[in-house]
Amino acid sequence: MPEARIGSAHVTLLRPQFGLRVSLPVTDRVGIRVSTRVSTSRYRLRGGPTTVSRFLDDALDLHAARLALEGSYWLKDVGPFWADEEIWSVLGSISGGSRWEDGDFDSGLGATGTLGFGYEVPDLFRVGLGVSATSSLEEGGLDFSPFVSLRWYVTERFTIRSQGLGARLEYDLTPVIELHATAGRVNDGFRLQDRFGLNDDLTFRDRYLRFSGGFEWDLANWLKFNVEGGYTAERRLRVQGDDLGTIASKRVAPSFFVDLALDVRF
């Protein structure tokens, strides 16, 4: 996200990211998937003082790491109820990771568990519904939230699916090129190191609406190249303390972004 205006200054975000995912069929009714993702978010504030830039200086390097184990169990003797072919399953996952500032990995540690049910009519749609519980190592306790996953095969070429707090449209233009468009909300949060002797648990948040379009090109059976570009709106950078509340907050002007990715599959 280059040169987004924030008051009289500009903020730039560069985020390299690496992910790995391995799916394994354990039996004809049980499947598991292990995934990991690591990234570094490099924020650079330039051009003039703001409440956020004064608090965070001109450079901020934030990191995220996550390891997840997901599983499904096919309820073979359930249904069909509404269609000739139905698949019912129990879904579950457990993950752990951290979102932290340089040198303070432990402060952002947390874990999430999810349990729900899945329903699928092959070649038509599939949906997963459940509940997630998240706990922070620093704060303890549990925060509960709903889990929803949806994929609808509108036609052989056109698919609608959920993506985070939003939706994604996919269209197979040719056997090797897929067009896609997305819209949704992004909520990024990271635990910060203590500053100015405040003795409070500080959090940096970057929240915005994201609208984008792009294409995915199958360069080979094992290699895909993805290009995505778009627009962010209603973006706000905020620093909060658990005890002090909002310490610094600034609205960021709408801006453009680009996302490039290589997907290697075996």
Side-chain angles (χ1 to χ4, degrees):
M1 296 183 182
E3 298 297 325
R5 187 165 52 84
I6 173 171
S8 59
H10 291 84
V11 58
T12 295
L13 170 60
L14 176 64
R15 177 178 295 157
Q17 179 172 280
F18 171 79
L20 177 66
R21 185 173 66 185
V22 178
S23 298
L24 300 171
V26 179
T27 70
D28 61 346
R29 300 178 68 171
V30 178
I32 63 172
R33 181 168 67 190
V34 180
S35 62
T36 184
R37 184 172 58 200
V38 294
S39 65
T40 294
S41 299
R42 301 173 60 86
Y43 288 86
R44 297 296 181 263
L45 295 153
R46 298 189 296 272
T50 70
T51 54
V52 173
S53 64
R54 281 196 297 267
F55 190 81
L56 298 176
D57 301 320
D58 295 327
L60 184 66
D61 291 331
L62 303 171
H63 314 282
R66 179 177 180 267
L67 178 64
L69 174 64
E70 302 167 302
S72 64
Y73 178 75
W74 177 26
L75 300 174
K76 190 173 183 179
D77 300 325
V78 176
F81 295 107
W82 298 288
D84 292 336
E85 292 185 66
E86 294 178 350
I87 299 174
W88 290 83
S89 56
V90 177
L91 310 173
S93 70
I94 184 170
S95 64
S98 182
R99 303 178 67 86
W100 77 101
E101 189 178 3
D102 281 346
D104 203 9
F105 176 83
D106 291 350
S107 66
L109 280 172
T112 299
T114 300
L115 184 64
F117 288 93
Y119 174 76
E120 178 178 1
V121 177
D123 301 322
L124 181 59
F125 76 92
R126 62 184 180 187
V127 61
L129 299 173
V131 63
S132 294
T134 301
S135 178
S136 168
L137 183 66
E138 288 270 327
E139 301 172 2
L142 289 174
D143 293 325
F144 292 93
S145 60
F147 161 76
V148 179
S149 176
L150 174 66
R151 186 184 294 263
W152 176 24
Y153 303 98
V154 183
T155 69
E156 289 185 359
R157 292 190 173 188
F158 181 45
T159 303
I160 301 175
R161 66 181 178 92
S162 59
Q163 180 171 294
L165 298 176
R168 177 182 173 103
L169 311 180
E170 301 173 346
Y171 181 75
D172 294 331
L173 183 65
T174 73
V176 297
I177 295 180
E178 173 196 279
L179 304 180
H180 52 76
T182 62
R185 175 167 288 280
V186 177
N187 296 325
D188 273 339
F190 301 86
R191 185 67 79 180
L192 295 176
Q193 297 174 350
D194 186 29
R195 284 166 166 77
F196 311 132
L198 294 176
N199 294 319
D200 196 4
D201 292 327
L202 304 179
T203 301
F204 174 81
R205 300 193 180 277
D206 186 356
R207 296 180 174 178
Y208 52 90
L209 297 176
R210 170 181 168 130
F211 307 93
S212 66
F215 67 90
E216 185 176 80
W217 181 14
D218 291 352
L219 301 174
N221 291 334
W222 54 273
L223 182 62
K224 299 186 178 204
F225 178 54
N226 186 83
V227 177
E228 188 171 358
Y231 179 80
T232 65
E234 298 298 321
R235 186 180 179 192
R236 181 173 289 275
L237 303 182
R238 180 180 286 115
V239 180
Q240 294 177 296
D242 287 352
D243 297 327
L244 298 174
T246 299
I247 299 172
S249 178
K250 194 68 175 180
R251 184 177 295 275
V252 182
S255 64
F256 293 93
F257 70 90
V258 64
D259 191 340
L260 306 176
L262 279 177
D263 186 359
V264 181
R265 300 186 179 187
F266 297 99

